[in-house]
Amino acid sequence: MIEEIRIQSLGVIDSSTLELGPGLTVITGETGAGKTMVVTALGLLLGGRADSGAVRTGARTARVEGVVVTDDLPELVDGVEEAGGTVEDGRVVLARNVSAEGRSRAFVGGASVPVATLSGVSEPLVAVHGQSDQHRLLRSRAQRDALDRFGGEPLAAAAAAYRQLFDRLRAVEEELSDVVTHARERAREADQLRLGLEEIEAVAPQAGEEDQLAAEETRLGFADTLRAAAEQAREALSSEQGGPDAMGTLGAARTLLDGVRDHDPEAAALADRAAELGYVLADLATDVASYASGIDTDPARLAAVSERRADLTKLTRKYGETLEEVLAWAERSAARLLELDGSDERVEALRTERARLRTELAGAATRLSDLRLDAAHRLGDQVSDELTLLAMPHARVSVAVRQHETEAPSDPGAPGVPLQVGERWLRFAPSGIDEVELLLAANTGSEPRPLDKGASGGELSRVMLAVEVSLAGTSPVPTFVFDEVDAGVGGAAAVEVGRRLAALARSSQVLVVTHLPQVAAYADRHVVVRKSHDGTITSSGLTVLDEDAREVELSRMMAGLTGSDTALAHARELLEVARSARVG
């Protein structure tokens, strides 16, 4: 809900803060005091058109701030964060500046944003009903959504079932269109994949094979060099020609150290180490000789290895940097080829599914439409009963649920064609086959007309009140504002207007600008706009009244003067009646 509204330099209001709360808040004051400036301020917070003429005379800028409690409003929090603003302690500040030159700036959670962004964030929070305002419920979509909420869980379930079928049908039609439209491209793709897979299959690469072949090719290419080096190394270690070698030199060193072993333990240790080294050297000489004898020049094997590496290189140039990537490409391509080769079967399966979905969708649309018709009758009767209590006894509200027929399509199987329901072809949409419209017959015998054409400004405000009361508890809008909803109403009807506003305030925050004491008596919070004049400039301020001050204000509203004992007595009686009605 809106917790607080701060207004600076707007119209006759210099600077004032309006603290709000749950329930019903009424704003009263003398004519010209600036009561409607509160509604104007809310309009600016909702992204309404900025009028430089609303800037207070002598001021450079008018500013309006609204503090909104974000509890149970996760979509609002998301909207603020998307706009770059912040939510602190469960509250967000929305603001609008209007300069005397006509420039306008908007702010959401401290972030400067376009006015359209402010509108998108704030508009779902408030429904304003005034004689010159664009009403939320005058929009066709809003009327359909309101009817669906009024229909309760059965209608919501039917709408969800229809939407699920609708979304599935759209997905099937899009896939079918893609498969049919791109059949030639898919055939070319299949041919390319098939050629690639055949090429890879012919080579049959193995993971890690490339490194092994590279090592083998190097060894075969330098076989003579490797063998010569190994034989020379073996001769240096252990000569077969009787020449000097490492074994002989090491043997001589060991003999010398053994000769002095008994004279020094350190010399004995060195002799032992020489003996150990002799064993190692003998093993090394044997291994080198074995390695030399195992090296063989095989030109045929070298040619085969080189050819194999060339074949693998062709694959890595086309299908991946490594053989592992080539094999991964082959796996993916094989799966894709199976999908492409099954296109004909897929087309037939999609056409069959589309036909089934269209039949099921027609049934779901009929069920949804029937439930809407039933809810429409109940809502129309309920709103009409409310209007009787609001001094419009001859007015009747009806809710029209219509479907628009169209000609049978030349190709019933084409995507996006109308839906056949029985013998009729109807346009269908994500919301169903229905268009919903609220109609008003203001007088007996008059033809029902759309709300914005069938009622005067004052009547329309009362119709909106009747509709909102009937929808109480189902509306997603947390705050309602009514400006002069009681225009042209008096007496017992005015009392009933107050009663109905109080009823709506049980489930929503309600703000009402009124001139009738019968309405003001039902308020949970009473705010008065008082005008003052310093001889040069007229100013107005907002004051929340206590119980005694309420009696005085109600007596002024009834008698047009203050200090009348009779008017005070009537005010007390009116407050007591309202209090009893709220408790009851």
Side-chain angles (χ1 to χ4, degrees), residues 220-231:
L220 289 170
F222 291 91
D224 293 338
T225 302
L226 292 171
R227 185 169 53 254
E231 290 176 348

Side-chain angles (χ1 to χ4, degrees), residues 414-426:
V417 301
L419 190 67
Q420 186 175 16
V421 180
E423 299 299 322
R424 302 185 299 165
W425 288 92
L426 305 173

Side-chain angles (χ1 to χ4, degrees), residues 148 153-167 364 368 372 430:
D148 287 353
E153 182 57 34
L155 202 156
Y162 172 90
R163 182 57 187 261
Q164 185 176 8
L165 288 169
F166 177 91
D167 290 342
L368 177 58
R372 280 175 173 160

Side-chain angles (χ1 to χ4, degrees), residues 22-23 39 72-73 94 131 256 286 295 311 339 409 426 432 443 460 470 492 507 519 527 539 550:
V39 179
D72 301 321
L73 293 173
L94 309 177
Q131 297 188 36
L256 291 172
T286 301
I295 296 176
D311 291 339
E339 178 184 341
L426 305 173
N443 300 291
L460 185 57
S470 299
S507 58
V519 173
V527 178
S539 298
R550 286 189 71 189

Side-chain angles (χ1 to χ4, degrees), residues 558-574:
M558 286 188 291
L561 50 87
T562 58
S564 169
D565 293 337
T566 302
L568 280 172
H570 288 168
R572 294 189 189 99
E573 182 180 2
L574 188 57

